[in-house]
Amino acid sequence: NAGVMQNPRHLVRRRGQEARLRCSPMKGHSHVYWYRQLPEEGLKFMVYLQKENIIDESGMPKERFSAEFPKEGPSILRIQQVVRGDSAAYFCASSPTLTYEQYFGPGTRLTVT
Amino acid sequence: QKEVEQDPGPLSVPEGAIVSLNCTYSNSAFQYFMWYRQYSRKGPELLMYTYSSGNKEDGRFTAQVDKSSKYISLFIRDSQPSDSATYLCAATSGAQKLVFGQGTRLTINP
């Protein structure tokens, strides 16, 4: 049973470009969560989605960031017009139901130059 | 004030020692408490979780929650070099967003 998959694992973008991060949850999991880990900091919640619905986006920056989890395909975290401060590791987690047992993927490390 | 506070360390102990990792939290609504292990450049791995107060044991690992003092602990017995990692505590009031501590970097020396 494959775990949570994220791609790309490493992403380099110049300031002003767009970054698209993908997350495929574990098989049978319909709940997806995105977290961001800044250097020397713990993980910070960004957004919680179910298929075709954003349930809680209280941790998302108000501008430039968006997330989706379509009926078919992976969940996407999109960052428009990236800035240096967006450089971080972005982790996706999934769970089978509404539960605290969240299983994390390997992360996407975004570097903005 | 952060909702979950954790000493970032680093913490270095000899192989075989008992390791104690601790967190405090401020939100009385937190009911579920987790410990994750994160190896360098990897994703967090769920180690243990507990509901409300009490102890939970799994092999060499024991998780402890004291809600009266808002204190979360993880004990590792007979520590091994392979236990060297960053340990993250987390808490949640429901089942959605997890609130994490900063993480404690642990090194077990052979």
Side-chain angles (χ1 to χ4, degrees):
Chain A
N1 187 14
V4 177
M5 299 177 69
Q6 290 187 249
N7 66 80
R9 296 292 307 277
H10 300 275
L11 183 61
V12 180
R13 285 287 178 266
R14 290 198 181 97
R15 279 179 297 172
Q17 291 185 318
E18 178 179 286
R20 290 168 64 93
L21 288 61
R22 295 176 184 77
C23 168
S24 296
M26 289 178 69
K27 187 175 181 180
H29 288 197
S30 58
H31 300 250
V32 166
Y33 315 80
W34 285 93
Y35 293 81
R36 176 165 65 175
Q37 188 173 39
L38 293 167
E40 305 304 320
E41 291 190 22
L43 288 94
K44 296 286 195 292
F45 169 81
M46 299 181 75
V47 62
Y48 160 48
L49 310 102
Q50 295 180 26
K51 286 283 188 180
E52 300 184 280
N53 285 301
I54 297 174
I55 307 301
D56 181 356
E57 56 181 348
S58 59
M60 287 277 271
K62 292 289 185 285
E63 297 176 352
R64 302 188 297 108
F65 285 72
S66 62
E68 63 178 10
F69 189 16
K71 188 176 179 181
E72 301 290 338
S75 174
I76 306 284
L77 180 67
R78 181 183 299 148
I79 311 172
Q80 296 178 301
Q81 299 176 319
V82 296
V83 300
R84 287 231 172 98
D86 297 332
S87 295
Y90 291 82
F91 290 96
C92 166
S94 72
S95 64
T97 59
L98 188 62
T99 171
Y100 49 82
E101 292 182 59
Q102 297 178 16
Y103 296 89
F104 283 77
T108 294
R109 279 159 182 81
L110 172 66
T111 301
V112 179
T113 62
Chain B
Q1 181 188 12
K2 294 181 181 178
E3 287 188 282
V4 179
E5 299 267 10
Q6 185 175 7
D7 186 341
L11 181 62
S12 182
V13 302
E15 182 177 356
I18 295 175
V19 177
S20 172
L21 302 167
N22 307 293
C23 293
T24 59
Y25 65 94
S26 59
N27 190 339
S28 299
F30 287 154
Q31 296 282 347
Y32 304 90
F33 305 91
M34 282 68 65
W35 283 95
Y36 283 83
R37 178 175 61 195
Q38 186 176 23
Y39 291 112
S40 181
R41 314 294 280 179
K42 303 289 186 185
E45 170 195 358
L46 180 61
L47 268 182
M48 299 185 71
Y49 57 89
T50 53
Y51 170 69
S52 194
S53 283
N55 291 1
K56 187 172 184 178
E57 189 173 320
D58 184 1
R60 296 184 296 109
F61 297 87
T62 300
Q64 201 170 74
V65 176
D66 182 346
K67 291 197 73 181
S68 62
S69 59
K70 295 189 176 67
Y71 205 77
I72 314 165
S73 301
L74 178 71
F75 299 97
I76 307 174
R77 291 183 299 281
D78 187 25
S79 55
Q80 305 293 313
S82 58
D83 295 329
S84 298
T86 295
Y87 289 79
L88 300 153
C89 61
T92 181
S93 57
Q96 297 179 9
K97 62 181 180 183
L98 302 183
V99 181
F100 283 87
Q102 188 178 349
T104 299
R105 189 176 301 176
L106 173 67
T107 301
I108 309 297
N109 301 304

